[in-house]
Amino acid sequence: MTEPDRAAGFEILKREDFSDVAYSLVVHHPRMAKAARPGQFVIVMLHETGERIPLTIADFDRQAGTITLVVQAVGKTTKEMQQSCKAGSVLHALVGPMGVPSSLTGRRKVICVGGGLGVAPIFPQARGFKENGAYVIGVVGFRTKQLIFWQEKFETCCDELILCTDDGSAGIKGFVSDGIKLAIARHRDIDEVIAIGPPVMMRACAETTRPHAIKTIVSLNPIMVDGTGMCGGCRVKVGDTVKFACVDGPDFDGHKVDFHDLIMRLGRYAAQEKTAAQRWSENCRMKDQIVPAVRASPSPIPTTSDLTRELLDHLDPFEQVLGG
Amino acid sequence: MAKKRTIRSIPQQRTPAREQEPAQRVQNFAEVNCGYTLEQALNEAERCLLCPEPACVAGCPVNIDIPGFIREISAKNFRGAYDIIAKSNLLAAVCGRVCPQESQCERLCVVAETLQPVAIGRLERWTGDRAITEHWTNVPYIERNGFSVGIVGSGPAGMACAADMAKAGCEVAVYEAFHQPGGVLRYGIPDFRLPNDVIDAEIGNLRKLGVRFECNTLVGRLFTIEQMIDELGHDAVFIGTGAGYPSMLGVPGESLNGVLSANELLTRCNLMRARDFPNYDTPIPLGRHVCVVGAGNTAMDAMRVCLRLGAQKVCCVYRRSEAECPARAEEVHHAKEEGIEFHWLTNPIEILGDENGKVRAMRCVRMELGEPDESGRRRPFPIAGSEVELQTEQVVFAIGTNANPIIGQTSKLRLDKRGYIEVDDNLATSMAGVFAGGDIVTGAATVIEAMGAGRRAARSIKRYLRIRDFDEPRTEAGSLFGIDLNEQNFARIRLA
């Protein structure tokens, strides 16, 4: 197939590695940088045979004409992107900004919560609230100190920043839900909590705020194909209704979202996901060997650091799908 | 000219088209209907009575001069035949395949009063295919008029409108959200009915007319309809985004793993090539037993895709009887040949899952038909106590679609109660210079109806931009005190 007007792709200007698994890509797309609002996402295809994966817009720069995506290498596509996306390389497809932008006005005091992969996409929300004059409390959670990124970015737009680590190596020891509890204890007049991260984390956040009846918005990231409301793959139960996260969301009332349903539906391609990831990593090793005279028997990936392996072992099984 | 054809002198039997054998074709995604050979096309062309006042043309939403092109086939002037079709329809190879001719042109064919109708669709397809293999393109001399038209959606409505506007001399940009153009032709209709090369060839023709395709562009979100006029410099906009948003039935168990819309199944398989997983990264659910709910053309496509993906048993579950089935007769026939099991007068009431949240069965109730409803079809009623359980690992909903909300969310266009775009008789929306047509106006319909709407909108846009339309017969209403209102130099009035 020859398609001259889509051969060009979308150029990556910069890449930054936060850890062995997390990295950011700054992509040139002036029109999108102009249109993007906090809470929106894009769909990316790495190459012609790739899949379409949704990624939240972590930042946008209207002057520079760029958008920033923060990716965690957990599935086949995100690992492959980690290997092949460099400054100067291109993404085959990039469409967006998708979804209804977050509502950031009319709030006096808010908590912006980001956990794991959700730390990056909560940033534009925090900045947006700050620009609209709200008092912003940031709560960001990481597994351990080495994985922390963008702390200085958050400090510029948060009136308070509560850093949480699972092992206590930085900030408070505990999950983001503990951070929310701390913030609620300090402030009695919180208008809204907005939480982005793995489904289990968002559920924990919603449960933390439910007794206090604080409005809690969560940003859902279910499996999508087109991202334009056409396939219905991303349907989620919110209260009594079924919504499509791509066009009705991705923001929903966290107290109404059926997280059990969401988590179950996120696992529906787990087996194929695994096949694809395995096949890909095997192919990579094949390429690394100079003369593959005999097909090597499967062995652990030698380049993976202990830290990464530990991380992968502890990953929420559904994050696999989340990350693509 | 050859001697006059009469109903007695023409070949009495409709020429059958070559088809792949059912047992073989369910193993592959190659086209089922292999089309006519040259001899077959010539033979079938002989069956046309070449009526001086043809009835068939009125049945064609784009009014192709049907006897005209068939006459050229008989005269072995194949290029001439293509030129006649291309005047009305740039997508001959597509429409020859996917149009429901039996309820359009062929239904009105005079031959059908005595014999089987002339196989107009197959002849159109043959001509279109010949044009592709011979690389015929009709690029007329186009004088640029300086106008720019933006088209939202690259499906059949958008393509038809784009072709007409480009031929009229406008600069045309077509915006598509997916990474490949073609809309439903690409993501919806499977290869065994409409191969990708045919779509590529037809899109190539549009490009030769100067149409620019901008993929990866979600109008409404990347820029709004208002911005298309104010910032991107389009003088007029056509919206042909399709209906999109798939319906679910609302029965318990719909979020179980293994339940999906036909749109999702078809998009994964056709556009994303999930059938080649893991060579392509997009996975597709695979069930040994599949139930497809609905009996329209989309349902037939979904079922036949499942067979080709390796399902052992595929059932169609439809709440009315075969007589009310909205799919084309040919599609139902093909589905039956391939071994699809039809459960007429059956309606799902619950989808049952196993302990892992995967579909294991679907509980259905038997239905009976009562009085006709507003659609004219007899309304089905459940028969109490007639519940049955169908074992299945996958449930596909092909029960229609609702209006896609994106354009409504992001523009001030007036919508109707159901969320479709409101238009007047000229397909003009509530916003000056913005026109809409196809499924986003009418709700789900056919490819050719969408193309017809695209062409009608193109005529309205030409009038709006005061572009002289040579294709359109001049009517009395088009003239005022002897001044031709269709003249290009007539004062251009733009409504704010």
Side-chain angles (χ1 to χ4, degrees), chain B residues 206-253:
Chain B
L206 284 175
R207 287 209 170 98
K208 283 179 196 142
L209 287 177
V211 175
R212 196 174 81 237
F213 285 89
E214 289 201 23
C215 292
N216 295 300
T217 306
L218 181 61
V219 175
R221 292 285 173 208
L222 189 60
F223 45 77
T224 62
I225 302 289
E226 286 89 339
Q227 283 177 306
M228 287 177 76
I229 292 182
D230 297 342
E231 294 173 25
L232 299 183
H234 294 307
D235 298 289
V237 169
F238 172 72
I239 305 172
T241 52
Y245 211 93
S247 303
M248 290 281 158
L249 211 52
V251 299

Coordinates of all heavy atoms in Angstrom, one line a residue, chain B residues 206-253:
Chain B
L206 N -9.0 9.6 -6.4 CA -9.3 10.9 -5.8 C -8.1 11.8 -5.7 O -8.1 13.0 -5.9 CB -10.0 10.7 -4.4 CG -11.4 10.2 -4.4 CD1 -11.8 9.9 -3.0 CD2 -12.3 11.2 -5.0
R207 N -7.0 11.1 -5.3 CA -5.7 11.9 -5.2 C -5.4 12.5 -6.5 O -4.9 13.6 -6.6 CB -4.6 11.0 -4.7 CG -4.7 10.7 -3.2 CD -3.4 10.4 -2.6 NE -3.5 10.3 -1.2 CZ -3.6 9.1 -0.6 NH1 -3.5 8.0 -1.2 NH2 -3.7 9.1 0.7
K208 N -5.6 11.7 -7.6 CA -5.3 12.3 -8.9 C -6.1 13.5 -9.3 O -5.7 14.3 -10.1 CB -5.4 11.2 -10.0 CG -4.3 10.2 -10.0 CD -4.4 9.1 -11.0 CE -3.5 8.0 -10.6 NZ -4.1 6.7 -10.9
L209 N -7.3 13.6 -8.7 CA -8.1 14.8 -8.9 C -7.6 15.9 -8.1 O -8.2 17.0 -8.1 CB -9.6 14.5 -8.5 CG -10.4 13.6 -9.4 CD1 -11.8 13.4 -8.8 CD2 -10.5 14.2 -10.8
G210 N -6.6 15.7 -7.2 CA -6.1 16.7 -6.4 C -6.6 16.7 -5.0 O -6.2 17.6 -4.2
V211 N -7.4 15.7 -4.6 CA -7.9 15.7 -3.3 C -6.7 15.3 -2.3 O -6.0 14.4 -2.6 CB -9.0 14.6 -3.1 CG1 -9.5 14.5 -1.7 CG2 -10.2 15.0 -4.0
R212 N -6.6 16.1 -1.2 CA -5.6 15.8 -0.2 C -6.2 15.1 1.0 O -7.3 15.5 1.5 CB -5.0 17.2 0.2 CG -3.7 17.1 1.0 CD -3.2 18.5 1.2 NE -3.8 19.1 2.4 CZ -4.5 20.2 2.4 NH1 -4.6 20.9 1.3 NH2 -5.0 20.7 3.5
F213 N -5.6 14.0 1.4 CA -6.1 13.3 2.6 C -5.3 13.6 3.8 O -4.0 13.4 3.7 CB -6.1 11.8 2.3 CG -7.3 11.3 1.4 CD1 -7.1 11.3 0.0 CD2 -8.5 10.9 1.9 CE1 -8.1 10.9 -0.8 CE2 -9.5 10.5 1.1 CZ -9.3 10.5 -0.3
E214 N -5.9 14.0 4.8 CA -5.1 14.2 6.1 C -5.6 13.2 7.1 O -6.6 13.4 7.7 CB -5.3 15.7 6.5 CG -4.6 16.6 5.6 CD -4.3 18.0 6.3 OE1 -4.2 18.0 7.6 OE2 -4.1 19.0 5.6
C215 N -4.8 12.2 7.3 CA -5.2 11.2 8.3 C -4.8 11.6 9.7 O -4.2 12.7 9.8 CB -4.5 9.8 7.9 SG -5.2 9.2 6.4
N216 N -5.0 10.8 10.7 CA -4.7 11.1 12.0 C -5.2 12.5 12.5 O -4.6 13.2 13.3 CB -3.2 11.1 12.2 CG -2.6 9.7 12.0 OD1 -2.9 8.8 12.7 ND2 -1.7 9.6 11.0
T217 N -6.4 12.8 12.0 CA -6.9 14.2 12.3 C -8.3 14.0 12.8 O -9.2 13.7 12.0 CB -6.9 15.0 11.0 OG1 -5.6 15.0 10.4 CG2 -7.3 16.4 11.3
L218 N -8.5 14.2 14.1 CA -9.8 14.1 14.7 C -10.5 15.5 14.7 O -10.2 16.3 15.6 CB -9.7 13.5 16.1 CG -11.0 13.3 16.9 CD1 -11.9 12.3 16.2 CD2 -10.7 12.8 18.3
V219 N -11.3 15.7 13.8 CA -12.0 17.0 13.7 C -13.0 17.1 14.9 O -13.6 16.2 15.2 CB -12.7 17.2 12.4 CG1 -13.5 18.5 12.4 CG2 -11.7 17.2 11.2
G220 N -13.0 18.3 15.4 CA -13.8 18.5 16.7 C -12.8 18.7 17.8 O -13.0 19.6 18.6
R221 N -11.8 17.8 17.9 CA -10.9 17.9 19.0 C -9.5 18.6 18.5 O -9.0 19.3 19.3 CB -10.6 16.5 19.5 CG -11.8 15.9 20.2 CD -12.0 16.5 21.6 NE -13.2 16.0 22.2 CZ -13.9 16.8 23.1 NH1 -13.5 18.0 23.4 NH2 -15.0 16.3 23.6
L222 N -9.0 18.2 17.4 CA -7.8 18.8 16.9 C -8.1 20.3 16.5 O -7.3 21.2 16.7 CB -7.1 18.0 15.8 CG -5.7 18.4 15.4 CD1 -4.7 18.3 16.6 CD2 -5.2 17.6 14.3
F223 N -9.1 20.4 15.8 CA -9.7 21.8 15.5 C -11.2 21.6 15.3 O -11.6 20.5 15.0 CB -9.0 22.4 14.3 CG -8.9 21.5 13.1 CD1 -9.9 21.2 12.3 CD2 -7.6 20.9 12.8 CE1 -9.8 20.3 11.2 CE2 -7.5 20.1 11.7 CZ -8.5 19.8 10.9
T224 N -11.9 22.6 15.5 CA -13.4 22.5 15.4 C -13.9 22.8 14.0 O -13.1 23.3 13.2 CB -14.0 23.5 16.4 OG1 -13.7 24.8 16.1 CG2 -13.6 23.2 17.9
I225 N -15.2 22.6 13.8 CA -15.8 22.9 12.6 C -15.7 24.4 12.3 O -15.4 24.9 11.2 CB -17.3 22.5 12.6 CG1 -17.5 21.0 12.8 CG2 -18.0 22.9 11.3 CD1 -17.1 20.1 11.7
E226 N -15.9 25.2 13.4 CA -15.8 26.7 13.3 C -14.4 27.1 12.9 O -14.2 27.9 12.0 CB -16.2 27.3 14.7 CG -17.6 27.3 15.0 CD -18.1 26.0 15.8 OE1 -17.4 25.0 15.7 OE2 -19.1 26.1 16.5
Q227 N -13.4 26.4 13.5 CA -12.0 26.7 13.1 C -11.7 26.4 11.7 O -10.8 27.0 11.0 CB -11.0 26.0 14.1 CG -10.9 26.6 15.4 CD -10.0 25.8 16.3 OE1 -10.2 24.6 16.5 NE2 -9.0 26.5 16.9
M228 N -12.3 25.4 11.2 CA -12.1 25.0 9.7 C -12.4 26.2 8.8 O -11.7 26.4 7.8 CB -12.9 23.8 9.3 CG -12.5 22.5 10.0 SD -13.5 21.1 9.5 CE -13.1 20.8 7.8
I229 N -13.5 26.9 9.2 CA -13.8 28.0 8.3 C -13.0 29.3 8.7 O -12.5 30.0 7.9 CB -15.4 28.3 8.5 CG1 -16.1 27.1 7.8 CG2 -15.8 29.6 7.8 CD1 -17.6 27.2 7.8
D230 N -12.9 29.5 10.0 CA -12.2 30.8 10.5 C -10.7 30.7 10.3 O -10.1 31.7 10.0 CB -12.6 31.0 11.9 CG -14.1 31.3 12.1 OD1 -14.7 31.6 11.1 OD2 -14.6 31.2 13.2
E231 N -10.1 29.6 10.6 CA -8.6 29.5 10.7 C -8.0 28.7 9.6 O -6.9 29.1 9.1 CB -8.2 28.9 12.0 CG -8.5 29.8 13.2 CD -8.2 29.2 14.6 OE1 -7.4 28.3 14.6 OE2 -8.9 29.5 15.5
L232 N -8.6 27.6 9.1 CA -8.0 26.8 8.1 C -8.4 27.3 6.7 O -7.9 26.8 5.7 CB -8.4 25.4 8.2 CG -8.0 24.7 9.6 CD1 -8.4 23.2 9.5 CD2 -6.5 24.8 9.8
G233 N -9.2 28.3 6.6 CA -9.5 28.9 5.3 C -10.4 28.1 4.4 O -10.4 28.4 3.2
H234 N -11.2 27.2 5.0 CA -12.2 26.5 4.1 C -13.4 27.4 3.9 O -13.9 28.0 4.8 CB -12.6 25.2 4.7 CG -11.5 24.2 4.8 ND1 -10.7 23.8 3.7 CD2 -10.9 23.5 5.8 CE1 -9.8 23.0 4.1 NE2 -9.9 22.7 5.4
D235 N -13.8 27.5 2.6 CA -15.0 28.3 2.3 C -16.3 27.5 2.6 O -17.3 28.1 2.8 CB -15.0 28.6 0.8 CG -13.7 29.5 0.5 OD1 -13.7 30.6 0.9 OD2 -12.8 29.0 -0.1
A236 N -16.2 26.2 2.6 CA -17.3 25.4 3.0 C -16.8 24.1 3.6 O -15.7 23.7 3.3 CB -18.2 25.1 1.7
V237 N -17.7 23.5 4.4 CA -17.3 22.2 5.1 C -18.4 21.2 4.8 O -19.6 21.5 4.8 CB -17.2 22.5 6.6 CG1 -17.0 21.2 7.4 CG2 -16.0 23.4 6.8
F238 N -18.0 20.0 4.6 CA -19.0 18.9 4.5 C -18.6 17.9 5.7 O -17.5 17.5 5.8 CB -18.9 18.1 3.2 CG -19.8 16.9 3.2 CD1 -21.2 17.0 3.1 CD2 -19.2 15.6 3.2 CE1 -22.0 15.8 3.2 CE2 -20.0 14.5 3.2 CZ -21.4 14.6 3.2
I239 N -19.6 17.5 6.4 CA -19.5 16.5 7.5 C -20.1 15.2 7.1 O -21.3 15.1 6.9 CB -20.1 17.0 8.8 CG1 -19.6 18.4 9.2 CG2 -19.9 16.1 10.0 CD1 -20.4 19.1 10.4
G240 N -19.2 14.2 7.0 CA -19.7 12.9 6.7 C -19.0 11.9 7.6 O -18.2 11.0 7.2
T241 N -19.3 12.0 8.9 CA -18.5 11.2 9.9 C -19.1 9.9 10.2 O -18.5 9.1 10.9 CB -18.4 12.0 11.2 OG1 -19.7 12.4 11.6 CG2 -17.6 13.3 11.1
G242 N -20.3 9.6 9.6 CA -20.8 8.3 9.9 C -21.5 8.3 11.3 O -21.4 9.2 12.1
A243 N -22.2 7.2 11.6 CA -22.9 7.1 12.8 C -22.1 6.7 14.0 O -22.1 7.3 15.1 CB -24.1 6.1 12.7
G244 N -21.2 5.7 13.8 CA -20.3 5.3 14.8 C -20.8 4.6 16.0 O -21.2 3.4 15.9
Y245 N -20.9 5.2 17.1 CA -21.2 4.8 18.4 C -22.1 3.5 18.5 O -23.4 3.6 18.4 CB -22.0 5.9 19.1 CG -21.8 6.0 20.6 CD1 -20.8 6.8 21.1 CD2 -22.7 5.4 21.5 CE1 -20.6 6.9 22.5 CE2 -22.5 5.5 22.9 CZ -21.5 6.3 23.4 OH -21.3 6.4 24.7
P246 N -21.6 2.3 18.7 CA -22.4 1.1 18.6 C -23.4 0.9 19.8 O -23.1 1.3 20.9 CB -21.3 0.0 18.6 CG -20.1 0.6 19.2 CD -20.1 2.1 18.9
S247 N -24.5 0.4 19.4 CA -25.5 0.1 20.5 C -25.2 -1.2 21.2 O -24.7 -2.1 20.5 CB -26.9 0.0 19.9 OG -27.2 1.1 19.1
M248 N -25.6 -1.3 22.4 CA -25.6 -2.5 23.1 C -27.1 -2.8 23.5 O -27.9 -1.9 23.4 CB -24.8 -2.4 24.4 CG -23.3 -2.3 24.1 SD -22.6 -3.9 23.8 CE -21.1 -3.4 22.9
L249 N -27.3 -4.0 23.9 CA -28.7 -4.4 24.1 C -29.2 -3.9 25.5 O -30.4 -3.7 25.7 CB -28.9 -5.9 24.0 CG -30.2 -6.4 23.5 CD1 -30.6 -5.8 22.2 CD2 -30.0 -7.9 23.3
G250 N -28.3 -3.9 26.5 CA -28.6 -3.5 27.8 C -29.1 -4.7 28.7 O -29.8 -4.6 29.6
V251 N -28.6 -5.9 28.3 CA -29.0 -7.1 29.1 C -27.8 -7.4 30.1 O -26.7 -6.9 29.8 CB -29.2 -8.4 28.2 CG1 -30.4 -8.1 27.3 CG2 -28.0 -8.8 27.4
P252 N -28.1 -8.1 31.2 CA -27.0 -8.4 32.1 C -25.9 -9.2 31.5 O -26.1 -10.0 30.6 CB -27.7 -9.2 33.2 CG -29.2 -9.0 33.0 CD -29.4 -8.6 31.6
G253 N -24.7 -8.9 31.9 CA -23.5 -9.7 31.4 C -22.8 -9.1 30.2 O -21.9 -9.7 29.7

